[in-house]
Amino acid sequence: MHAEPARARRLLAPSAAFAGSGAVFAALYVAAGAPTPLLVVFEQRWGFPAWVLTVAFASYALGLLTALLVAGSLSDHVGRRPVLIGSLTVELGAMLMFVFASDIGWVIAARTIQGIATGAATSAFSASVVEHAPEYRKKLATIVTSIAPAGGLGLGALLTGAAVQFSTHASALVFTALAVIMVVGTGVVAFSAETVSPQPGTARSLVPHVSVPRAARREFVASIPVHMAAWMLAGLFMGLVPTILRDLLGLHSGLLNGATVFVQPAAAAVAGLSLGRLTPRRTILVGGVGVLLGTAVNMTGVATAALPLLWLGGLIGGVGVGASFSGALRTITPLAQPHQRAGLFAAVYLVAYLSFGVPAIIAGLLIAPLGLLHTVLGYGVVIIAAAALGLLAQYRRPAGR
């Protein structure tokens, strides 16, 4: 039941608000994936060291983490709509910074601000999509919240890769279009009903913290290795694949960069959607196996400079990422009350984006002393170890429903 009745201002129907919220949530991650194929273009244009490229990639994740810690549960107190409108407005500013960026410093600043906007919006959107969904669509809503980030990241990389390949003004074209989408998305949120009533404790909620309800804590802890492995693999693909293609495989193509990056998150989105008939626990187990096997195939492809194995590993690993994340969300979401959901989603994404961003920065710093090949292979070994630990943790949990 919505916390706010329809007033003189006409609001979207609940079904339209549900669809619109899911679409805008995905668009936020399309924007997050869009810079990936452009980073190597910026490196060639402005001539900065390779490790700066990984900082430019991961600055988004660090900005997102900061926002999650500070504002992750804010919408539980002030409402979903104010947080989402504010976040989308900040995202619009980041898109305009990308349009006018003249050096890598501007790009890092824009990525950081984009991360802050996405972090503030992610837990609020995750809760809002579920709350706008009709009762018979609640399961679909949970699946949508799990696949929107991966699907959006992949689609953003693919479309930008095509723009790099076929346009001489790819950056301006991509980010101008995304700025327009953010304006439209803000309108969708503004005309959707509020779904929660204000709660006391707004100021206290801004003190950096994560909030996991007692009923969800055991499942949350058991899911941590799963999230780590899945999002480290996502970070490998999103952060290092363009560099791997150029420096280890000798391939120079914006479209190929975008398409290769697209494979893994696209497979993750499809898996999250198509495996909804499995129990959450079984979905997580399928995901852990997929991450483990996909990473092994990826590392074989990198070691032998075989692009088809990189694609195959991306497909298998992408299924693992989507299944493990979807299954974990489906396991813990029913364990939280409505006013606890944003805080819980903030905790989930905190683990996810620490795993997504921090290892990528460490890998970037290790490239110079160890070389790209050895750095990537070592990264893969860590992912496989985390996936194996995640499988063990899930196997020892009760089956549940």
Side-chain angles (χ1 to χ4, degrees):
M1 175 180 269
H2 294 314
E4 171 185 292
R7 297 174 184 162
R9 179 165 59 89
R10 187 175 181 84
L11 298 176
L12 294 174
S15 58
F18 167 51
S21 296
V24 179
F25 187 26
L28 201 66
Y29 279 90
V30 170
T36 298
L38 284 165
L39 292 179
V40 290
V41 175
F42 294 150
E43 182 185 6
Q44 293 169 344
R45 181 186 302 169
W46 296 325
F48 51 83
W51 66 268
V52 177
L53 187 149
T54 57
V55 171
F57 165 77
S59 59
Y60 159 82
L62 298 181
L64 187 148
L65 288 172
T66 301
L68 275 175
L69 284 170
V70 174
S73 59
L74 180 62
S75 73
D76 284 338
H77 299 276
V78 302
R80 312 296 185 213
R81 196 163 59 188
V83 172
L84 293 176
I85 290 174
S87 300
L88 290 170
T89 302
V90 174
E91 179 78 8
L92 172 62
M95 297 301 98
L96 295 177
M97 289 180 68
F98 278 118
V99 171
F100 297 106
S102 57
D103 57 41
I104 191 60
W106 273 88
V107 171
I108 291 174
R111 283 289 278 172
T112 303
I113 292 171
Q114 181 184 35
I116 291 170
T118 307
T122 290
S123 57
F125 257 131
S126 297
S128 179
V129 171
V130 171
E131 290 157 359
H132 277 301
E135 283 301 321
Y136 65 94
R137 294 291 188 193
K138 294 297 184 184
K139 181 179 178 181
L140 174 62
T142 304
I143 293 172
V144 167
T145 63
S146 68
I147 67 173
L153 288 169
L155 185 59
L158 178 64
L159 294 177
T160 303
V164 169
Q165 188 72 31
F166 300 113
S167 171
T168 56
H169 301 90
S171 183
L173 177 66
V174 167
F175 293 112
T176 299
L178 287 169
V180 173
I181 291 171
M182 294 308 147
V183 172
V184 174
T186 303
V188 170
V189 172
F191 285 92
S192 297
E194 180 57 76
T195 56
V196 295
S197 300
Q199 298 286 330
T202 299
R204 188 170 62 252
S205 75
L206 297 176
V207 177
H209 74 292
V210 293
S211 176
V212 180
R214 182 179 299 274
R217 287 177 188 172
R218 288 188 177 181
E219 290 293 353
F220 176 80
V221 171
S223 71
I224 287 176
V226 174
H227 290 313
M228 286 179 59
W231 284 84
M232 282 184 68
L233 180 56
L236 173 65
F237 249 74
M238 298 296 296
L240 290 177
V241 156
T243 305
I244 291 169
L245 292 178
R246 184 190 63 190
D247 294 349
L248 295 182
L249 277 67
L251 301 172
H252 303 269
S253 166
L255 183 59
L256 185 61
N257 283 343
T260 305
V261 170
F262 170 76
V263 167
Q264 192 245 45
V270 172
L273 185 62
S274 61
L275 295 177
R277 292 182 179 274
L278 296 180
T279 64
R281 184 81 59 213
R282 185 164 296 179
T283 305
I284 298 173
L285 291 171
V286 169
V289 171
V291 169
L292 195 154
L293 293 179
T295 303
V297 174
N298 278 148
M299 295 306 101
T300 304
V302 169
T304 60
L307 181 60
L309 287 180
L310 206 58
W311 287 340
L312 178 61
L315 284 171
I316 298 171
V319 170
V321 171
S324 60
F325 194 60
S326 173
L329 282 184
R330 285 166 53 202
T331 299
I332 65 174
T333 298
L335 303 177
Q337 298 298 316
H339 67 278
Q340 299 171 325
R341 285 176 185 150
L344 176 60
F345 285 129
V348 170
Y349 282 103
L350 178 67
V351 174
Y353 275 93
L354 278 172
S355 305
F356 184 76
V358 173
I361 293 178
I362 295 172
L365 295 174
L366 292 176
I367 287 174
L370 299 182
L372 180 60
L373 177 60
H374 291 98
T375 298
V376 172
L377 293 178
Y379 197 132
V381 169
V382 175
I383 295 174
I384 289 172
L389 181 60
L391 284 171
L392 178 62
Q394 290 299 318
Y395 182 76
R396 296 179 66 178
R397 296 296 298 156
R401 287 189 300 171

